[in-house]
Amino acid sequence: GQQLNQSPQSMFIQEGEDVSMNCTSSSIFNTWLWYKQDPGEGPVLLIALYKAGELTSNGRLTAQFGITRKDSFLNISASIPSDVGIYFCAGQLGGSQGNLIFGKGTKLSVKP
Amino acid sequence: ETGVTQTPRHLVMGMTNKKSLKCEQHLGHNAMYWYKQSAKKPLELMFVYSLEERVENNSVPSRFSPECPNSSHLFLHLHTLQPEDSALYLCASSQVLGGRGGYTFGSGTRLTVV
C-alpha cells in the first residue's frame, strides 16, 4: 500500500528558530494536507494543498505541494512555545479511493 | 455543539469487558471514519462509512465492531480486547467520501486494556 516517509521524526529547537519538515512518497497524490496534534487532542488541519507547485501560508506556517506530486514540506517561522506538538502530513488520492494516508509525524519541542 | 465529539475521553477496560466508543459530528458531513493511533506508528484507518454504509474495513479484528445508525453518529463496539489494543481511538468526518477538504477529527478516546 501507499506509504509516506515523514522527516525528521523529532526536533528540539530554540524559541525563535525556523523549522522545516517534509514528507515524501513513491505514490502521486492529488492533495497534501498538514495537521497538528496537541497532547490529548485529535489532529487539527493546518494547511491543505490541491495543486502541484502550490505554496500556501497560514500565519507563520508555509507549506508547498511538490512539483512531482510525491512530496510536500511544511515550514514554521519564528517558532514559539505553543508550536509544540506532533505535525502530520497526509496525502490523498482522488475520488472514491480518497482516504487519507498519514505520515508517522514529526514531534516538535520548543525551548523558551 | 460543533465539530466532532467523542465519548468517553478515557476508558480502562478488562479483557473480558464489553464497551462502546461514541462519536458524533455536527458538521453535516456524509462520511465518518475510525482511526487507531498507537505510539510510534502512523494513524491506522480502521473503518470508513459513507451515508451510513460501511465502505471499508481494513482487516480489523472482529473484536472491534462498528455501527453507524445515521450520518451523524458512529460507534465502535469493543469486546474481548487484548492489551495491544490499548491506543488512542480517533473518529473523523469529511463532507463526502474522498472529499478534498480533509478530515475533521475528534479529540479521541484513550483506551487502556488491562
Side-chain angles (χ1 to χ4, degrees):
Chain A
Q2 296 92 3
Q3 284 193 340
L4 293 185
N5 299 308
Q6 185 172 351
S7 66
Q9 251 186 332
S10 61
M11 303 181 77
F12 296 85
I13 62 168
Q14 201 74 36
E15 183 177 359
E17 287 183 4
D18 296 343
V19 170
S20 187
M21 58 192 80
N22 69 81
C23 270
T24 60
S25 174
S26 55
S27 301
I28 290 174
F29 291 104
N30 287 347
T31 302
W32 280 96
L33 302 155
W34 285 92
Y35 284 85
K36 182 193 177 196
Q37 186 174 25
D38 290 327
E41 297 295 329
V44 172
L45 182 64
L46 298 173
I47 293 179
L49 302 157
Y50 300 112
K51 270 177 18 178
E54 181 180 352
L55 184 72
T56 296
S57 293
N58 178 4
R60 294 176 295 105
L61 277 60
T62 302
Q64 185 157 32
F65 192 142
I67 292 288
T68 64
R69 294 167 60 196
K70 293 182 179 181
D71 63 334
S72 177
F73 72 75
L74 175 71
N75 287 344
I76 305 173
S77 62
S79 58
I80 59 177
S82 61
D83 290 334
V84 162
I86 303 178
Y87 292 79
F88 292 97
C89 63
Q92 188 175 32
L93 301 170
S96 61
Q97 301 303 313
N99 294 332
L100 291 185
I101 297 155
F102 285 86
K104 288 189 180 181
T106 295
K107 186 173 180 181
L108 179 63
S109 302
V110 179
K111 276 197 302 189
Chain B
E1 287 194 53
T2 57
V4 179
T5 304
Q6 287 188 246
T7 53
R9 291 295 306 270
H10 301 272
L11 178 62
V12 179
M13 61 186 285
M15 289 190 281
T16 57
N17 290 161
K18 286 185 184 180
K19 296 284 184 184
S20 295
L21 309 185
K22 180 182 174 183
C23 176
E24 187 173 357
Q25 57 97 359
H26 306 273
L27 300 166
H29 287 172
N30 288 331
M32 296 185 78
Y33 312 82
W34 278 117
Y35 278 88
K36 177 184 178 184
Q37 187 176 35
S38 307
K40 308 212 168 160
K41 282 186 172 183
L43 283 159
E44 298 172 60
L45 180 64
M46 299 175 73
F47 299 104
V48 180
Y49 276 84
S50 177
L51 296 169
E52 300 136 52
E53 191 178 314
R54 192 192 308 183
V55 296
E56 191 159 335
N57 172 355
N58 274 358
S59 304
V60 179
S62 60
R63 57 186 185 269
F64 295 91
S65 173
E67 179 192 0
C68 187
N70 55 63
S71 58
S72 299
H73 292 86
L74 187 64
F75 294 91
L76 188 62
H77 304 300
L78 316 170
H79 64 97
T80 58
L81 293 193
Q82 304 297 312
E84 61 264 27
D85 295 323
S86 299
L88 182 68
Y89 288 84
L90 289 161
C91 172
S93 69
S94 65
Q95 196 152 22
V96 295
L97 182 66
R100 300 181 82 194
Y103 298 176
T104 302
F105 283 87
S107 297
T109 294
R110 171 68 62 186
L111 174 68
T112 304
V113 181
V114 297

